[in-house]
Amino acid sequence: MAAAAALAAAETPPAMPQAAGAGGPTARRDFYWLRSFLAGGIAGCCAKTTVAPLDRVKVLLQAHNHHYKHLGVFSALRAVPQKEGYLGLYKGNGAMMIRIFPYGAIQFMAFEHYKTLITTKLGVSGHVHRLMAGSMAGMTAVICTYPLDMVRVRLAFQVKGEHTYTGIIHAFKTIYAKEGGFLGFYRGLMPTILGMAPYAGVSFFTFGTLKSVGLSHAPTLLGRPSSDNPNVLVLKTHINLLCGGVAGAIAQTISYPFDVTRRRMQLGTVLPEFEKCLTMRETMKYVYGHHGIRKGLYRGLSLNYIRCIPSQAVAFTTYELMKQFFHLN
């Protein structure tokens, strides 16, 4: 969630005074939504591929896979290649790429749409409209791409020699046939939405606030002109990364118990305690009762913090490059 929310959080930066003779808006608006879609999708894929090994270990630890449940983050990172080879760290990443490209693109475009809608129709502006638009954009992207995330988690949870699914297509067919048809792909959607609303909202709010305050009070120190439009200020790369990391860390801490609940519900029949975790309330109660807060609802959080810095770094850096490459400023 961190990379995609980071992408959408990168709003159109403050403009500098318009230079005489600058190109009109029509020239820059050709295929604007397509270019926005590509920029968000490419950045999301780069960011997620960078942290794919950490994502795989997170799934294994969150759901207490019996091969790795006694291990910590770093010992699990060493154990997975020993048991499954180095490619085992990237298990499920193919499904992740299929999901994250439309996820990042939809979230970014939805954020811009909701932000404009909230400002013009409701008259809400400032940081509040960023918080509202971010939450709505995150939920929209989740609903649109949730089946792909379900399949990705199932594939990532498998251990070499104990495969239930042979690939993405087989996983789709099996879940559809054995777990209630189309609705089977939306197990765990409610905790996902409840977790995404504060996650995306807080992420947008924090990053947007840090960005606007920084460019307003120290434009020369923290900002620079965009390469595709010198009239627009953008954050310097290292400042961008710092703001994104802070935003991701705060948002992740608030929403993490919902993420743990979502993962367990997504795994469904793969887990032996499946019948005790049919609803969000039952799942949270089971995890808390058997594992507590630190080793249950917040298990793997340290890994998420470790993921946050490189993920946000790649997401923001790539997205800023793509925005300039596609002339989105």
Side-chain angles (χ1 to χ4, degrees), residues 4 8 17 24 43 46 54 66 79-80 83 85 101 108 123-124 175-176 182 185 199 218 237 245 269 272 278 291 294:
C46 290
L54 297 174
H66 65 279
V80 171
K83 183 175 180 60
F101 189 95
F108 176 76
V124 179
I175 294 171
Y176 183 84
F182 186 72
F185 293 109
Y199 176 83
T237 301
T269 55
L278 295 176
H291 305 290
R294 189 172 67 86

Side-chain angles (χ1 to χ4, degrees), residues 120-132:
T120 56
K121 300 295 184 182
L122 301 181
V124 179
S125 59
H127 299 308
V128 176
H129 86 297
R130 186 183 297 120
L131 183 70
M132 294 171 62

